[in-house]
Amino acid sequence: MKAFFQKYHRTLFYCGLLLLGLWQARYTELQDDEAYYWVYSRFPDWGYFDHPPMIAMLIKAGYAIFPNELGVRFFPLLMSIGWVVILEKLTERKNPFLFYAIILSIALIQLGGYMAAPDTPLLFFTALFFLLLKKFGENGNLLNGSLMGAVMALMLYSKYHAVLVIFFALIAQWRLLKKPALWAGLFLAFLLFVPHLLWQNHHDWVSVQYHLTENKVNDQYKVGNTLNYILAQLVLPGPFAGLILIPAAFLYKWKNGFQRSLYVTMTGFYLFFLLTTFRGKSEANWTSPAMVPLIVLSFFYLEEHLAWKKWMFRLLPLTLLLITFARFAMVFDFIPQKRLVFRFHTWKDWPKAMDKITAGRPVVFNNSYQRASKYWFYTGRPTYSLNWYKWRMNNFNFWPLEDSVLGKPAYYLDIKNPFVMQDSIPYRQGFVEYRFDSCFASYAKIDVKLLNEGNLRCNPGGMMQTTIRFDIPDHYAAFIRQHPPQNDTIRIGFFNGKTWLKDVITDLRLSQVNEKKEQTIRFSPGLPAGKYYMRFAINTGIYTPTHNSAKIDIVIE
C-alpha cells in the first residue's frame, strides 16, 4: 500500500481534488453572482457591465453539457485544478507533499475553487502567464513572446485585474522589454483584446466608469475598511495557513529575475488594494492573482526552513477538519445559522411555488440583479431587474429584457415592500411579496442626453437652465401613444459621490417628451456650494425610478 501511494500520490491528489470539486459543484446551491454570470451566458457578447466575457463563455460551454449547477461550474472547476497543476510545475516539483499541504490549507482553493467566478480563469491564466514568463526569460524567442501575448489577452478577457499582473511582472524584469519578441507579444495581446475595447467604446466605457469612479467609493476614509482588508487577506489563504504563508512569502529572498517578478507582483497587489481602502471598501477576492506568487514563494521559503514547514503540517489536520465541515454545511442544510441558510439553502422551494402562481407570466424584481438571476436559473423563466437610479447599474440595464415585458401582464416581486405589494409567499428567511400588473411599464431604455457641453453652474439657491434630448426607442414611443402613462414623473436626482441628496421633480411628462424630444428646462438644485452630479430618472406609478442618463457634473459656486 505504501509503495502504491508513493508511486501514484500525484494522481491520487489531483483525482481527489477533481472528485470533491464535482460533488461540491453539483450539490451546492448556486450563489448570487454565479447566477448573474449564468444570465451573462444567455446573452453572448464581447463584454458586460461588470466584467469581460470569459466567465460567460465558460458557463455557456459547461451548461451545454450539464444543464444544472455542475454545468455552470464545470469549466471553472477544471481551470481551478489546472492552475494548481501549473503551480506545482512552478515549484519545480521539489517537495510534492509540502505542496499538497499548502494547497489543502488554502480556503480560496478548497471552498471557492468549484465556483463560477471571473477570478478562476484569471488565476488559471495568471499561473500560465508566469510559466511562460519563466520560459521567455530562458529563451526570449518570438514563439514564447507570442504565447505570452495570447495568454495576456486571455487574462484580460477574464478580469481587468490582469492589467496589474502584467504591469508588476514586467516592470520587475524591465530588461525583458528590450527584447522585440516581448513587444510582439504585447501587440498581439492588444489585437486580440480589440473586440472588447470596441464593445466598451460602443457602451460609453461603462465598465471603466463603474470600476474607477463608482465602485465602493466613500466620501470619507473609514479605518474599518483597512482593518477588514488586512484581516481578509490573512484569512483568504487560510483559515490558519495565511499566518504562515504570507510572512513566509515576504521573507523569501528571491534568487533570479523570475522570482523577482513573482515577489513584485505579490507585493504590488497587496499594496495597491491596501491603498484602495482609503477611498472605499476593497473586496477580499480582488487580490486573488497574488495567490499565485504567494504559494510559489512561500513554498520555496518553507522548503528551506524546517521549523516553518513543521508548523504547516501541524496545522493541516485542523484546517482539513474545518474545511470538511464547511463543505458539508454548504451542501447539507443542518446548521440553522441565518447567514449560512440565506446563502446556501434558500432557493430550493419558493421559486417553484412562485412559478406556479405566475403561470408562466413575466416576473420583474425590484432592484435586485441577484434575485432576478437566481429566479431565472431555478425556474427557467426569464426575469427582469428594475434597477433603482440611486444604486448602481448592472447588465440588466443593457439586455433586451425590459423591452420584452413592456405592456405585458407581469408579476412584480420584492422582499421588503409590503405597502406596495398585494400578497406574499413564505421562504426560509421571511416572505417574498408580489403584485400582479395587467400592463407592466417601466422606461429604463429611454436615454436623456445633455445637449449643451460643459458643467452646469449656478450660485447657491440659483437656477440652472439646460437643453436635453430624450432618445426614445420606436416601440416605446408607440406604446406611450397607445397607453398614455398615469402618475409618471421625470425627476433629477442629485448626488455627492455615492450619496443621494435630493430629487427635483420636473414638470415634464412622458406624453409630452414623446412628441417633442428636445426640451429646455430650468431648475434649482437648492444645494450649498460644492461639486455634485445629477442623473435623470423616470418612473410611473409605484415602480422604481430608473437610470435614464449618465452622470452629469454640476458646480454650485
Side-chain angles (χ1 to χ4, degrees), residues 389-426:
Y389 76 112
K390 294 181 183 179
W391 193 235
R392 73 173 183 90
M393 292 194 296
N394 52 63
N395 231 85
F396 278 93
N397 291 87
F398 301 99
W399 288 321
L401 292 168
E402 182 189 69
D403 321 51
S404 65
V405 183
L406 184 66
K408 293 183 178 179
Y411 280 83
Y412 186 56
L413 274 64
D414 204 349
I415 59 172
K416 295 179 181 177
N417 206 350
F419 300 107
V420 170
M421 300 306 181
Q422 298 166 332
D423 208 339
S424 65
I425 61 171

mmCIF file of all heavy atoms in Angstrom, residues 389-426:
data_model
loop_
_atom_site.group_PDB
_atom_site.id
_atom_site.type_symbol
_atom_site.label_atom_id
_atom_site.label_comp_id
_atom_site.label_asym_id
_atom_site.label_seq_id
_atom_site.Cartn_x
_atom_site.Cartn_y
_atom_site.Cartn_z
ATOM 1 N N TYR A 389 -32.397 54.113 -9.599
ATOM 2 C CA TYR A 389 -31.430 55.118 -10.039
ATOM 3 C C TYR A 389 -30.485 55.574 -8.931
ATOM 4 O O TYR A 389 -29.432 56.159 -9.194
ATOM 5 C CB TYR A 389 -32.163 56.332 -10.625
ATOM 6 C CG TYR A 389 -32.781 57.244 -9.589
ATOM 7 C CD1 TYR A 389 -32.305 58.525 -9.381
ATOM 8 C CD2 TYR A 389 -33.857 56.821 -8.809
ATOM 9 C CE1 TYR A 389 -32.876 59.358 -8.433
ATOM 10 C CE2 TYR A 389 -34.430 57.639 -7.877
ATOM 11 C CZ TYR A 389 -33.942 58.909 -7.682
ATOM 12 O OH TYR A 389 -34.515 59.724 -6.740
ATOM 13 N N LYS A 390 -30.847 55.316 -7.668
ATOM 14 C CA LYS A 390 -29.971 55.702 -6.557
ATOM 15 C C LYS A 390 -28.869 54.676 -6.332
ATOM 16 O O LYS A 390 -27.954 54.918 -5.536
ATOM 17 C CB LYS A 390 -30.778 55.854 -5.269
ATOM 18 C CG LYS A 390 -31.774 57.010 -5.290
ATOM 19 C CD LYS A 390 -32.512 57.106 -3.961
ATOM 20 C CE LYS A 390 -33.569 58.200 -3.992
ATOM 21 N NZ LYS A 390 -34.318 58.288 -2.717
ATOM 22 N N TRP A 391 -28.964 53.543 -6.989
ATOM 23 C CA TRP A 391 -27.970 52.490 -6.851
ATOM 24 C C TRP A 391 -27.281 52.308 -8.186
ATOM 25 O O TRP A 391 -27.622 52.949 -9.177
ATOM 26 C CB TRP A 391 -28.653 51.201 -6.368
ATOM 27 C CG TRP A 391 -27.731 50.130 -5.901
ATOM 28 C CD1 TRP A 391 -27.676 48.849 -6.348
ATOM 29 C CD2 TRP A 391 -26.726 50.217 -4.888
ATOM 30 N NE1 TRP A 391 -26.717 48.128 -5.681
ATOM 31 C CE2 TRP A 391 -26.105 48.956 -4.779
ATOM 32 C CE3 TRP A 391 -26.279 51.252 -4.064
ATOM 33 C CZ2 TRP A 391 -25.062 48.696 -3.879
ATOM 34 C CZ3 TRP A 391 -25.234 50.982 -3.167
ATOM 35 C CH2 TRP A 391 -24.653 49.724 -3.095
ATOM 36 N N ARG A 392 -26.296 51.426 -8.239
ATOM 37 C CA ARG A 392 -25.512 51.290 -9.470
ATOM 38 C C ARG A 392 -26.293 50.540 -10.539
ATOM 39 O O ARG A 392 -27.213 49.770 -10.258
ATOM 40 C CB ARG A 392 -24.206 50.565 -9.181
ATOM 41 C CG ARG A 392 -24.336 49.063 -8.919
ATOM 42 C CD ARG A 392 -22.953 48.474 -8.813
ATOM 43 N NE ARG A 392 -22.921 47.039 -8.624
ATOM 44 C CZ ARG A 392 -22.879 46.158 -9.618
ATOM 45 N NH1 ARG A 392 -22.947 46.565 -10.880
ATOM 46 N NH2 ARG A 392 -22.799 44.864 -9.371
ATOM 47 N N MET A 393 -25.864 50.741 -11.787
ATOM 48 C CA MET A 393 -26.417 49.966 -12.885
ATOM 49 C C MET A 393 -25.783 48.575 -12.904
ATOM 50 O O MET A 393 -24.787 48.317 -12.240
ATOM 51 C CB MET A 393 -26.180 50.671 -14.222
ATOM 52 C CG MET A 393 -26.949 51.963 -14.392
ATOM 53 S SD MET A 393 -26.967 52.550 -16.112
ATOM 54 C CE MET A 393 -25.229 52.873 -16.380
ATOM 55 N N ASN A 394 -26.359 47.689 -13.687
ATOM 56 C CA ASN A 394 -25.764 46.385 -13.971
ATOM 57 C C ASN A 394 -26.214 45.981 -15.363
ATOM 58 O O ASN A 394 -26.830 46.783 -16.088
ATOM 59 C CB ASN A 394 -26.137 45.344 -12.906
ATOM 60 C CG ASN A 394 -27.637 45.269 -12.687
ATOM 61 O OD1 ASN A 394 -28.393 44.927 -13.593
ATOM 62 N ND2 ASN A 394 -28.082 45.607 -11.476
ATOM 63 N N ASN A 395 -25.926 44.754 -15.749
ATOM 64 C CA ASN A 395 -26.184 44.395 -17.137
ATOM 65 C C ASN A 395 -27.663 44.275 -17.481
ATOM 66 O O ASN A 395 -28.037 44.244 -18.652
ATOM 67 C CB ASN A 395 -25.464 43.098 -17.508
ATOM 68 C CG ASN A 395 -24.653 43.264 -18.780
ATOM 69 O OD1 ASN A 395 -23.522 43.710 -18.724
ATOM 70 N ND2 ASN A 395 -25.243 42.972 -19.928
ATOM 71 N N PHE A 396 -28.549 44.229 -16.484
ATOM 72 C CA PHE A 396 -29.977 44.263 -16.778
ATOM 73 C C PHE A 396 -30.384 45.596 -17.413
ATOM 74 O O PHE A 396 -31.454 45.684 -18.017
ATOM 75 C CB PHE A 396 -30.791 44.003 -15.510
ATOM 76 C CG PHE A 396 -30.920 42.548 -15.167
ATOM 77 C CD1 PHE A 396 -30.022 41.939 -14.307
ATOM 78 C CD2 PHE A 396 -31.927 41.770 -15.723
ATOM 79 C CE1 PHE A 396 -30.123 40.592 -13.993
ATOM 80 C CE2 PHE A 396 -32.045 40.419 -15.421
ATOM 81 C CZ PHE A 396 -31.137 39.831 -14.559
ATOM 82 N N ASN A 397 -29.538 46.626 -17.273
ATOM 83 C CA ASN A 397 -29.802 47.889 -17.950
ATOM 84 C C ASN A 397 -29.554 47.809 -19.448
ATOM 85 O O ASN A 397 -29.995 48.679 -20.200
ATOM 86 C CB ASN A 397 -28.930 49.012 -17.362
ATOM 87 C CG ASN A 397 -29.328 49.388 -15.953
ATOM 88 O OD1 ASN A 397 -28.866 48.802 -14.984
ATOM 89 N ND2 ASN A 397 -30.216 50.358 -15.834
ATOM 90 N N PHE A 398 -28.853 46.774 -19.900
ATOM 91 C CA PHE A 398 -28.470 46.685 -21.311
ATOM 92 C C PHE A 398 -29.154 45.545 -22.052
ATOM 93 O O PHE A 398 -29.368 45.634 -23.261
ATOM 94 C CB PHE A 398 -26.941 46.526 -21.425
ATOM 95 C CG PHE A 398 -26.169 47.655 -20.806
ATOM 96 C CD1 PHE A 398 -25.622 47.527 -19.540
ATOM 97 C CD2 PHE A 398 -26.021 48.851 -21.468
ATOM 98 C CE1 PHE A 398 -24.927 48.567 -18.958
ATOM 99 C CE2 PHE A 398 -25.332 49.901 -20.906
ATOM 100 C CZ PHE A 398 -24.776 49.761 -19.640
ATOM 101 N N TRP A 399 -29.452 44.467 -21.353
ATOM 102 C CA TRP A 399 -30.087 43.335 -22.033
ATOM 103 C C TRP A 399 -31.504 43.689 -22.491
ATOM 104 O O TRP A 399 -32.179 44.511 -21.859
ATOM 105 C CB TRP A 399 -30.147 42.133 -21.091
ATOM 106 C CG TRP A 399 -28.831 41.488 -20.853
ATOM 107 C CD1 TRP A 399 -27.839 41.269 -21.762
ATOM 108 C CD2 TRP A 399 -28.340 40.971 -19.597
ATOM 109 N NE1 TRP A 399 -26.770 40.650 -21.165
ATOM 110 C CE2 TRP A 399 -27.050 40.449 -19.842
ATOM 111 C CE3 TRP A 399 -28.878 40.883 -18.307
ATOM 112 C CZ2 TRP A 399 -26.275 39.865 -18.831
ATOM 113 C CZ3 TRP A 399 -28.117 40.290 -17.309
ATOM 114 C CH2 TRP A 399 -26.843 39.790 -17.567
ATOM 115 N N PRO A 400 -31.986 43.079 -23.568
ATOM 116 C CA PRO A 400 -33.338 43.368 -24.089
ATOM 117 C C PRO A 400 -34.420 42.643 -23.292
ATOM 118 O O PRO A 400 -35.154 41.806 -23.829
ATOM 119 C CB PRO A 400 -33.259 42.873 -25.536
ATOM 120 C CG PRO A 400 -32.267 41.748 -25.478
ATOM 121 C CD PRO A 400 -31.238 42.156 -24.450
ATOM 122 N N LEU A 401 -34.502 42.967 -21.994
ATOM 123 C CA LEU A 401 -35.464 42.298 -21.121
ATOM 124 C C LEU A 401 -36.638 43.200 -20.771
ATOM 125 O O LEU A 401 -37.785 42.772 -20.783
ATOM 126 C CB LEU A 401 -34.767 41.807 -19.843
ATOM 127 C CG LEU A 401 -33.763 40.664 -20.083
ATOM 128 C CD1 LEU A 401 -32.906 40.426 -18.855
ATOM 129 C CD2 LEU A 401 -34.505 39.389 -20.478
ATOM 130 N N GLU A 402 -36.343 44.465 -20.437
ATOM 131 C CA GLU A 402 -37.444 45.398 -20.185
ATOM 132 C C GLU A 402 -38.322 45.523 -21.427
ATOM 133 O O GLU A 402 -39.550 45.558 -21.341
ATOM 134 C CB GLU A 402 -36.900 46.768 -19.788
ATOM 135 C CG GLU A 402 -37.998 47.772 -19.454
ATOM 136 C CD GLU A 402 -37.458 49.175 -19.265
ATOM 137 O OE1 GLU A 402 -37.010 49.774 -20.266
ATOM 138 O OE2 GLU A 402 -37.494 49.670 -18.133
ATOM 139 N N ASP A 403 -37.684 45.552 -22.590
ATOM 140 C CA ASP A 403 -38.414 45.653 -23.852
ATOM 141 C C ASP A 403 -39.430 44.526 -24.004
ATOM 142 O O ASP A 403 -40.550 44.722 -24.502
ATOM 143 C CB ASP A 403 -37.449 45.587 -25.046
ATOM 144 C CG ASP A 403 -36.158 46.341 -24.814
ATOM 145 O OD1 ASP A 403 -35.521 46.102 -23.769
ATOM 146 O OD2 ASP A 403 -35.780 47.131 -25.674
ATOM 147 N N SER A 404 -39.026 43.314 -23.567
ATOM 148 C CA SER A 404 -39.893 42.152 -23.752
ATOM 149 C C SER A 404 -41.059 42.126 -22.765
ATOM 150 O O SER A 404 -42.041 41.425 -22.984
ATOM 151 C CB SER A 404 -39.072 40.868 -23.597
ATOM 152 O OG SER A 404 -38.569 40.745 -22.274
ATOM 153 N N VAL A 405 -40.961 42.895 -21.667
ATOM 154 C CA VAL A 405 -42.017 42.919 -20.654
ATOM 155 C C VAL A 405 -42.981 44.085 -20.882
ATOM 156 O O VAL A 405 -44.122 44.065 -20.422
ATOM 157 C CB VAL A 405 -41.394 43.009 -19.239
ATOM 158 C CG1 VAL A 405 -42.464 42.962 -18.154
ATOM 159 C CG2 VAL A 405 -40.388 41.898 -19.026
ATOM 160 N N LEU A 406 -42.531 45.099 -21.595
ATOM 161 C CA LEU A 406 -43.303 46.331 -21.756
ATOM 162 C C LEU A 406 -44.731 46.049 -22.247
ATOM 163 O O LEU A 406 -44.941 45.440 -23.287
ATOM 164 C CB LEU A 406 -42.584 47.250 -22.755
ATOM 165 C CG LEU A 406 -43.215 48.625 -22.978
ATOM 166 C CD1 LEU A 406 -43.132 49.473 -21.723
ATOM 167 C CD2 LEU A 406 -42.519 49.339 -24.155
ATOM 168 N N GLY A 407 -45.704 46.492 -21.452
ATOM 169 C CA GLY A 407 -47.107 46.373 -21.828
ATOM 170 C C GLY A 407 -47.730 45.014 -21.603
ATOM 171 O O GLY A 407 -48.907 44.818 -21.920
ATOM 172 N N LYS A 408 -46.985 44.075 -21.046
ATOM 173 C CA LYS A 408 -47.500 42.718 -20.851
ATOM 174 C C LYS A 408 -47.956 42.508 -19.400
ATOM 175 O O LYS A 408 -47.478 43.186 -18.487
ATOM 176 C CB LYS A 408 -46.429 41.691 -21.210
ATOM 177 C CG LYS A 408 -46.074 41.668 -22.692
ATOM 178 C CD LYS A 408 -45.058 40.584 -22.983
ATOM 179 C CE LYS A 408 -44.733 40.529 -24.478
ATOM 180 N NZ LYS A 408 -43.724 39.482 -24.786
ATOM 181 N N PRO A 409 -48.838 41.553 -19.165
ATOM 182 C CA PRO A 409 -49.159 41.172 -17.786
ATOM 183 C C PRO A 409 -47.903 40.616 -17.114
ATOM 184 O O PRO A 409 -47.194 39.791 -17.698
ATOM 185 C CB PRO A 409 -50.228 40.098 -17.939
ATOM 186 C CG PRO A 409 -50.754 40.261 -19.338
ATOM 187 C CD PRO A 409 -49.620 40.790 -20.154
ATOM 188 N N ALA A 410 -47.604 41.086 -15.911
ATOM 189 C CA ALA A 410 -46.374 40.679 -15.241
ATOM 190 C C ALA A 410 -46.562 40.705 -13.732
ATOM 191 O O ALA A 410 -47.446 41.389 -13.209
ATOM 192 C CB ALA A 410 -45.215 41.594 -15.647
ATOM 193 N N TYR A 411 -45.691 39.959 -13.039
ATOM 194 C CA TYR A 411 -45.661 39.960 -11.576
ATOM 195 C C TYR A 411 -44.435 40.740 -11.108
ATOM 196 O O TYR A 411 -43.334 40.572 -11.643
ATOM 197 C CB TYR A 411 -45.620 38.540 -11.031
ATOM 198 C CG TYR A 411 -46.969 37.870 -11.020
ATOM 199 C CD1 TYR A 411 -47.479 37.264 -12.164
ATOM 200 C CD2 TYR A 411 -47.747 37.868 -9.863
ATOM 201 C CE1 TYR A 411 -48.725 36.661 -12.161
ATOM 202 C CE2 TYR A 411 -49.001 37.264 -9.844
ATOM 203 C CZ TYR A 411 -49.482 36.661 -10.998
ATOM 204 O OH TYR A 411 -50.727 36.075 -10.988
ATOM 205 N N TYR A 412 -44.655 41.565 -10.107
ATOM 206 C CA TYR A 412 -43.606 42.424 -9.547
ATOM 207 C C TYR A 412 -43.261 41.887 -8.160
ATOM 208 O O TYR A 412 -44.126 41.771 -7.299
ATOM 209 C CB TYR A 412 -44.131 43.852 -9.459
ATOM 210 C CG TYR A 412 -43.131 44.902 -9.024
ATOM 211 C CD1 TYR A 412 -41.940 45.089 -9.703
ATOM 212 C CD2 TYR A 412 -43.420 45.742 -7.939
ATOM 213 C CE1 TYR A 412 -41.046 46.066 -9.318
ATOM 214 C CE2 TYR A 412 -42.531 46.736 -7.553
ATOM 215 C CZ TYR A 412 -41.337 46.887 -8.240
ATOM 216 O OH TYR A 412 -40.455 47.871 -7.852
ATOM 217 N N LEU A 413 -41.978 41.537 -7.925
ATOM 218 C CA LEU A 413 -41.559 40.882 -6.691
ATOM 219 C C LEU A 413 -40.569 41.725 -5.908
ATOM 220 O O LEU A 413 -39.724 42.425 -6.496
ATOM 221 C CB LEU A 413 -40.912 39.525 -6.990
ATOM 222 C CG LEU A 413 -41.834 38.306 -7.122
ATOM 223 C CD1 LEU A 413 -42.773 38.458 -8.310
ATOM 224 C CD2 LEU A 413 -41.008 37.030 -7.233
ATOM 225 N N ASP A 414 -40.677 41.630 -4.592
ATOM 226 C CA ASP A 414 -39.738 42.290 -3.690
ATOM 227 C C ASP A 414 -39.748 41.516 -2.384
ATOM 228 O O ASP A 414 -40.597 40.652 -2.161
ATOM 229 C CB ASP A 414 -40.131 43.746 -3.459
ATOM 230 C CG ASP A 414 -38.944 44.625 -3.047
ATOM 231 O OD1 ASP A 414 -37.873 44.065 -2.752
ATOM 232 O OD2 ASP A 414 -39.087 45.857 -3.030
ATOM 233 N N ILE A 415 -38.824 41.836 -1.480
ATOM 234 C CA ILE A 415 -38.824 41.156 -0.183
ATOM 235 C C ILE A 415 -39.078 42.109 0.981
ATOM 236 O O ILE A 415 -39.277 41.670 2.099
ATOM 237 C CB ILE A 415 -37.492 40.407 0.057
ATOM 238 C CG1 ILE A 415 -36.304 41.366 0.014
ATOM 239 C CG2 ILE A 415 -37.323 39.271 -0.925
ATOM 240 C CD1 ILE A 415 -34.993 40.718 0.436
ATOM 241 N N LYS A 416 -39.074 43.429 0.728
ATOM 242 C CA LYS A 416 -39.248 44.388 1.818
ATOM 243 C C LYS A 416 -40.118 45.557 1.367
ATOM 244 O O LYS A 416 -39.741 46.719 1.512
ATOM 245 C CB LYS A 416 -37.886 44.902 2.298
ATOM 246 C CG LYS A 416 -37.001 43.843 2.919
ATOM 247 C CD LYS A 416 -35.665 44.428 3.355
ATOM 248 C CE LYS A 416 -34.777 43.346 3.965
ATOM 249 N NZ LYS A 416 -33.442 43.867 4.343
ATOM 250 N N ASN A 417 -41.268 45.265 0.800
ATOM 251 C CA ASN A 417 -42.122 46.334 0.292
ATOM 252 C C ASN A 417 -43.589 45.973 0.474
ATOM 253 O O ASN A 417 -44.368 45.989 -0.480
ATOM 254 C CB ASN A 417 -41.809 46.561 -1.191
ATOM 255 C CG ASN A 417 -42.143 47.972 -1.630
ATOM 256 O OD1 ASN A 417 -42.774 48.728 -0.890
ATOM 257 N ND2 ASN A 417 -41.719 48.326 -2.822
ATOM 258 N N PRO A 418 -44.014 45.670 1.697
ATOM 259 C CA PRO A 418 -45.379 45.165 1.898
ATOM 260 C C PRO A 418 -46.471 46.187 1.606
ATOM 261 O O PRO A 418 -47.614 45.821 1.324
ATOM 262 C CB PRO A 418 -45.384 44.762 3.377
ATOM 263 C CG PRO A 418 -44.318 45.599 4.002
ATOM 264 C CD PRO A 418 -43.263 45.752 2.950
ATOM 265 N N PHE A 419 -46.151 47.478 1.646
ATOM 266 C CA PHE A 419 -47.172 48.502 1.428
ATOM 267 C C PHE A 419 -47.549 48.632 -0.052
ATOM 268 O O PHE A 419 -48.602 49.135 -0.393
ATOM 269 C CB PHE A 419 -46.685 49.853 1.970
ATOM 270 C CG PHE A 419 -46.392 49.835 3.437
ATOM 271 C CD1 PHE A 419 -45.087 49.861 3.892
ATOM 272 C CD2 PHE A 419 -47.424 49.756 4.366
ATOM 273 C CE1 PHE A 419 -44.813 49.827 5.252
ATOM 274 C CE2 PHE A 419 -47.154 49.715 5.720
ATOM 275 C CZ PHE A 419 -45.844 49.754 6.170
ATOM 276 N N VAL A 420 -46.642 48.187 -0.925
ATOM 277 C CA VAL A 420 -46.898 48.252 -2.359
ATOM 278 C C VAL A 420 -47.481 46.947 -2.875
ATOM 279 O O VAL A 420 -48.304 46.935 -3.789
ATOM 280 C CB VAL A 420 -45.591 48.608 -3.111
ATOM 281 C CG1 VAL A 420 -45.761 48.435 -4.615
ATOM 282 C CG2 VAL A 420 -45.166 50.033 -2.778
ATOM 283 N N MET A 421 -47.095 45.845 -2.261
ATOM 284 C CA MET A 421 -47.450 44.538 -2.785
ATOM 285 C C MET A 421 -48.859 44.106 -2.349
ATOM 286 O O MET A 421 -49.438 44.642 -1.409
ATOM 287 C CB MET A 421 -46.421 43.508 -2.327
ATOM 288 C CG MET A 421 -45.011 43.831 -2.800
ATOM 289 S SD MET A 421 -44.928 44.062 -4.602
ATOM 290 C CE MET A 421 -43.183 44.394 -4.833
ATOM 291 N N GLN A 422 -49.374 43.109 -3.046
ATOM 292 C CA GLN A 422 -50.736 42.624 -2.799
ATOM 293 C C GLN A 422 -50.760 41.320 -2.016
ATOM 294 O O GLN A 422 -51.722 41.043 -1.301
ATOM 295 C CB GLN A 422 -51.445 42.414 -4.147
ATOM 296 C CG GLN A 422 -51.604 43.671 -4.962
ATOM 297 C CD GLN A 422 -51.998 43.378 -6.401
ATOM 298 O OE1 GLN A 422 -51.663 42.311 -6.935
ATOM 299 N NE2 GLN A 422 -52.701 44.306 -7.040
ATOM 300 N N ASP A 423 -49.706 40.517 -2.130
ATOM 301 C CA ASP A 423 -49.716 39.205 -1.497
ATOM 302 C C ASP A 423 -48.272 38.778 -1.250
ATOM 303 O O ASP A 423 -47.321 39.488 -1.631
ATOM 304 C CB ASP A 423 -50.431 38.193 -2.387
ATOM 305 C CG ASP A 423 -51.072 37.070 -1.576
ATOM 306 O OD1 ASP A 423 -50.634 36.854 -0.424
ATOM 307 O OD2 ASP A 423 -51.990 36.425 -2.102
ATOM 308 N N SER A 424 -48.079 37.619 -0.636
ATOM 309 C CA SER A 424 -46.735 37.149 -0.349
ATOM 310 C C SER A 424 -46.738 35.631 -0.223
ATOM 311 O O SER A 424 -47.776 35.007 -0.011
ATOM 312 C CB SER A 424 -46.207 37.773 0.943
ATOM 313 O OG SER A 424 -46.978 37.346 2.052
ATOM 314 N N ILE A 425 -45.537 35.053 -0.361
ATOM 315 C CA ILE A 425 -45.344 33.636 -0.072
ATOM 316 C C ILE A 425 -44.139 33.526 0.863
ATOM 317 O O ILE A 425 -43.209 34.345 0.802
ATOM 318 C CB ILE A 425 -45.124 32.796 -1.348
ATOM 319 C CG1 ILE A 425 -43.858 33.250 -2.093
ATOM 320 C CG2 ILE A 425 -46.321 32.859 -2.260
ATOM 321 C CD1 ILE A 425 -43.481 32.327 -3.227
ATOM 322 N N PRO A 426 -44.127 32.528 1.754
ATOM 323 C CA PRO A 426 -43.018 32.401 2.706
ATOM 324 C C PRO A 426 -41.782 31.785 2.061
ATOM 325 O O PRO A 426 -41.856 31.027 1.100
ATOM 326 C CB PRO A 426 -43.593 31.478 3.776
ATOM 327 C CG PRO A 426 -44.591 30.646 3.045
ATOM 328 C CD PRO A 426 -45.184 31.536 1.980
#
